[in-house]
Amino acid sequence: MNTDRPAAEEERLKALRRERFNNTEGERRYQQLVAQRAQRRQQLMSQSNVHKGTLSEAAKIVGTCTLMCPEFEREERQLKNNIAQPEMFPGTRQADPARTVKTFHRSAAGNEEPLPEDLRTPETLQRTLDHLVNVVIAADQELRSCHGFVRDRTRSIRQDFTIQNIRDSTTVAVCERIARFHIVSLHILCGNKDFAEHQDMEQLRNTLKTLIELYDDHRKARVVCANEAEFYAYYIVSHLRDPDAKRVAERLPRHIFTAPIVQQALKLHMLSESSTAPRRDTGTGWAAQNLGVQFFRTVAAPATPLLLACLAEYYFPSIRRSALRSMCDAFPYQEGKEYPVTDFAEMLAFDSVDE
């Protein structure tokens, strides 16, 4: 007599019962946390003698969460089946508290303000970034499946620092690593049809803007930031053809302005100017030099650090279009004297003729 089928069916039924029980327990815990949060919010308002208004008006909020994801969010997302694959226990759809990472929360009318237990401590934020880099990215170094997850979670890390107004050396170090992540993403995923590169560039620019503000604060306090020149260079190259970048550079201290990486970034900024490309400062567009080919040679030069070159790659399509327009204006078509496509590919830094 074959008893394998009944045994397998019994195991399946047991698994269904366990899942139903876990969901029931999770819902109970979630409702318990909702009630506790309402009491906690009222308690904080009462302690600060604020009877109307918002929690942020009561006192400066200091995070107390030491988990990568607060328990309330984890339970809420579990009930809504909103757990990402890197956050699950292997082989299940259950959230692993040791893997779950807080998501980015958009500011919107009607949303509750965070409680202290919703905000992670600086040490926890740093540990969360370590987890994203050393565990999540390490398991998918081509970033094909984990990129969107990491981009959202690093944005959440920056959000927790901002809400708590933490502007110390830990914030600087974390933001620097996040900026490098976006630069590497722009390079690795370039050309991927599912990659929205403009979103990564937007987050990179926001991160660099935060870093510049942090560097200014530290400089006023006479605190040296070892990587300041590197990230000012990234700011300049992330704003090619934007005259504001040059104005930022003009205000830099001499030792930052004269740093080799900043000078190389300014050179790339100058070479990117073109009278055939749209610019904010259209009044001086006619004076641009149209040095697209020299731009590509400078990117490939040993003096250009790897990440700076990766960032400059974002602008390759627009620089190529401008260079081709200039060539068409300078060299009208003549039958029988076509320019070799292999030479075009080399001049415009294509990897191959097919590209």
Side-chain angles (χ1 to χ4, degrees):
M1 180 176 178
N2 187 357
T3 60
D4 290 343
R5 186 182 182 107
E9 181 66 15
E10 180 64 25
E11 187 60 35
R12 186 182 71 84
L13 292 173
K14 287 181 180 179
L16 290 173
R17 283 194 293 269
R18 282 197 302 269
E19 184 176 353
R20 192 179 305 116
F21 175 78
N22 288 337
N23 287 342
T24 303
E25 286 297 301
E27 188 169 356
R28 288 174 184 166
R29 178 57 180 159
Y30 174 70
Q31 294 300 332
Q32 183 182 21
L33 289 172
V34 169
Q36 290 176 357
R37 286 172 65 82
Q39 294 175 1
R40 174 66 169 151
R41 190 177 299 278
Q42 187 59 44
Q43 178 187 22
L44 290 171
M45 299 286 280
S46 300
Q47 289 175 351
S48 302
N49 294 320
V50 176
H51 303 291
K52 293 182 179 180
T54 63
L55 186 60
S56 60
E57 295 171 349
K60 177 185 176 182
I61 191 164
V62 177
T64 60
C65 178
T66 57
L67 300 173
M68 293 193 298
C69 181
E71 182 186 10
F72 175 75
E73 178 183 315
R74 187 178 71 245
E75 294 292 343
E76 183 178 50
R77 288 170 53 202
Q78 182 71 73
L79 283 177
K80 295 179 179 179
N81 292 321
N82 190 23
I83 303 297
Q85 189 276 329
E87 302 174 312
M88 298 175 184
F89 281 110
T92 75
R93 298 192 62 80
Q94 294 295 315
D96 181 352
R99 296 168 180 245
T100 311
V101 182
K102 181 180 177 181
T103 62
F104 173 76
H105 294 267
R106 297 184 181 277
S107 300
N111 286 358
E112 282 189 342
E113 291 183 89
L115 296 170
E117 45 266 48
D118 296 326
L119 299 171
R120 294 160 290 183
T121 65
E123 296 77 14
T124 305
L125 291 167
Q126 197 164 32
R127 177 164 53 84
T128 302
L129 184 58
D130 288 341
H131 169 79
L132 293 173
V133 174
N134 300 330
V135 177
V136 179
I137 295 178
D140 179 24
Q141 296 186 20
E142 294 185 354
L143 305 178
R144 294 191 181 276
S145 61
C146 75
H147 172 263
F149 175 82
V150 176
R151 181 178 62 194
D152 177 83
R153 283 9 180 216
T154 54
R155 194 176 180 187
S156 172
I157 290 172
R158 292 193 290 116
Q159 185 179 48
D160 274 17
F161 276 118
T162 300
I163 292 174
Q164 298 177 75
N165 195 30
I166 302 173
R167 306 176 68 83
D168 59 11
S169 58
T170 300
T171 313
V172 172
V174 167
C175 286
E176 287 177 347
R177 293 176 71 190
I178 292 174
R180 291 190 183 110
F181 160 72
H182 288 302
I183 294 172
V184 171
S185 297
L186 287 167
H187 171 66
I188 292 179
L189 298 175
C190 176
N192 188 320
K193 64 179 181 179
D194 297 323
F195 175 54
E197 59 182 14
H198 64 280
Q199 294 182 5
D200 261 71
M201 178 57 79
E202 179 186 8
Q203 294 309 313
L204 172 61
R205 287 170 175 161
N206 290 340
T207 306
L208 292 172
K209 180 181 178 182
T210 298
L211 277 170
I212 284 180
E213 295 170 354
L214 292 169
Y215 290 146
D216 287 344
D217 290 347
H218 281 68
R219 198 181 304 121
K220 291 174 183 176
R222 300 186 181 279
V223 176
V224 176
C225 296
N227 301 319
E228 189 172 355
E230 175 190 354
F231 286 89
Y232 266 109
Y234 297 152
Y235 179 86
I236 293 167
V237 174
S238 68
H239 291 79
L240 291 186
R241 293 176 171 167
D242 184 345
D244 288 341
K246 290 186 287 188
R247 285 192 276 270
V248 168
E250 289 168 357
R251 295 194 294 268
L252 289 175
R254 182 173 180 80
H255 71 283
I256 300 294
F257 182 82
T258 57
I261 190 171
V262 173
Q263 288 298 304
Q264 196 71 357
L266 288 169
K267 184 176 182 180
L268 289 171
H269 196 283
M270 180 271 292
L271 293 173
S272 71
E273 299 294 342
S274 170
S275 60
T276 58
R279 304 171 63 225
R280 283 189 184 181
D281 190 7
T282 55
T284 58
W286 61 271
Q289 300 180 73
N290 295 318
L291 298 175
V293 175
Q294 192 171 338
F295 173 87
F296 293 118
R297 291 173 180 168
T298 301
V299 171
T304 303
L306 175 61
L307 287 183
L308 199 66
C310 290
L311 183 52
E313 185 182 18
Y314 175 81
Y315 294 94
F316 279 13
S318 63
I319 300 291
R320 285 166 177 157
R321 284 193 295 269
S322 298
L324 282 171
R325 289 193 192 103
S326 298
M327 291 178 188
C328 290
D329 291 342
F331 307 107
Y333 174 74
Q334 297 182 43
E335 188 174 353
K337 295 184 179 181
E338 292 82 3
Y339 204 83
V341 68
T342 52
D343 291 353
F344 265 125
E346 181 181 357
M347 291 169 60
L348 301 181
F350 286 104
D351 292 332
S352 65
V353 171
D354 292 337
E355 184 189 0

